[in-house]
Amino acid sequence: MDLKEIQLNGFKSFADRTTIRFEDGVTCIVGPNGCGKSNVADAVRWVLGEKSAKNLRGSNMQDVIFGGTVDRKPQTSCEVSLVFDNTNHIFPEMPDDEVSMTRRLDRKGDSKYLINGQLSRQRDMVALFHTIGLGKEGYSIIGQGKVDELLSSKPEERRAIFEEATGIS
C-alpha cells in the first residue's frame, strides 16, 4: 500500500489546510505532547469510516471540526483526504495513477464521502479500503492506550491479537 499523503482541513487541531507527505521510508509520526499526532491517527480512522465519536476521542461527531481558539473562529466544516499512489494498481478497478479518498462533515451533521472528487457512498469507499487490507478496526492504526493494553495482555490474548492483525486467525 502506498499512502502518498494525508490532507487535513479543519479537522480537530488542523484549522489550516495541512498536507503530510509520506516519502519513501517514513514509518511513523513523532513529536512532543500536544502537537497533534493522535489527531492524525484519528483523521485516518475517520476517513476509513469510523462512526463512533468516542473512538475519535469526542462526545459527538462534530467534535472533529476545529472548535476555534481565543484568536480564531471555529470552522464550519472539516475535510480529510487520503491520497494513494495507484501506479501499481493497488485499486484494480481504478484506472487513475493516484486515488484520493475524502470525507467531509459540516456542523449540521451532513457527511460526504468522495473518491477522486466524485460523490460516493461510504460502503463503496470502505470496500475499496478493504481491497488493500485497510479498515477502521485494523491494526495499522493503533490508538492511544492500545499499546499499553497490548503489552499488559496475557500471552494467549496477545497471540490472538497478532493472529488477527496478520490475517491468519
Side-chain angles (χ1 to χ4, degrees):
M1 178 204 51
D2 293 324
L3 178 62
K4 287 177 70 172
E5 61 187 41
I6 300 172
Q7 301 168 353
L8 307 106
N9 189 16
F11 187 87
K12 290 194 169 192
S13 59
F14 295 93
D16 296 321
R17 182 169 295 281
T18 303
T19 300
I20 301 170
R21 290 187 177 81
F22 294 98
E23 305 295 332
D24 290 340
V26 174
T27 58
C28 64
I29 297 172
V30 296
N33 290 342
C35 74
K37 299 179 301 291
S38 294
N39 291 345
V40 173
D42 287 349
V44 172
R45 182 180 297 274
W46 185 66
V47 175
L48 293 176
E50 181 61 65
K51 294 179 183 177
S52 168
K54 180 183 171 195
N55 288 339
L56 299 170
R57 301 175 299 124
S59 58
N60 64 58
M61 198 50 79
Q62 283 74 13
D63 286 346
V64 301
I65 302 172
F66 177 73
T69 66
V70 173
D71 299 323
R72 262 188 116 142
K73 291 182 178 181
Q75 301 282 68
T76 58
S77 64
C78 68
E79 176 178 303
V80 176
S81 297
L82 303 180
V83 181
F84 295 89
D85 179 354
N86 195 39
T87 54
N88 293 327
H89 304 290
I90 60 172
F91 300 106
E93 60 281 348
M94 304 291 294
D96 305 301
D97 286 344
E98 190 173 276
V99 175
S100 174
M101 312 276 200
T102 303
R103 184 172 179 183
R104 290 182 186 153
L105 177 69
D106 65 28
R107 291 231 180 254
K108 293 181 275 180
D110 293 330
S111 186
K112 292 187 171 102
Y113 294 84
L114 299 99
I115 300 172
N116 285 347
Q118 301 295 314
L119 278 176
S120 174
R121 297 180 306 177
Q122 178 192 18
R123 80 171 68 151
D124 295 333
M125 202 158 86
V126 169
L128 278 176
F129 284 130
H130 284 214
T131 65
I132 60 171
L134 279 180
K136 65 184 177 73
E137 297 301 322
Y139 288 97
S140 51
I141 304 169
I142 300 174
Q144 281 184 326
K146 294 297 181 187
V147 173
D148 184 49
E149 182 180 320
L150 178 65
L151 293 174
S152 63
S153 63
K154 296 177 182 169
E156 56 273 4
E157 294 168 339
R158 197 173 308 131
R159 178 184 177 129
I161 292 169
F162 285 126
E163 287 177 351
E164 184 179 342
T166 59
I168 61 172
S169 65

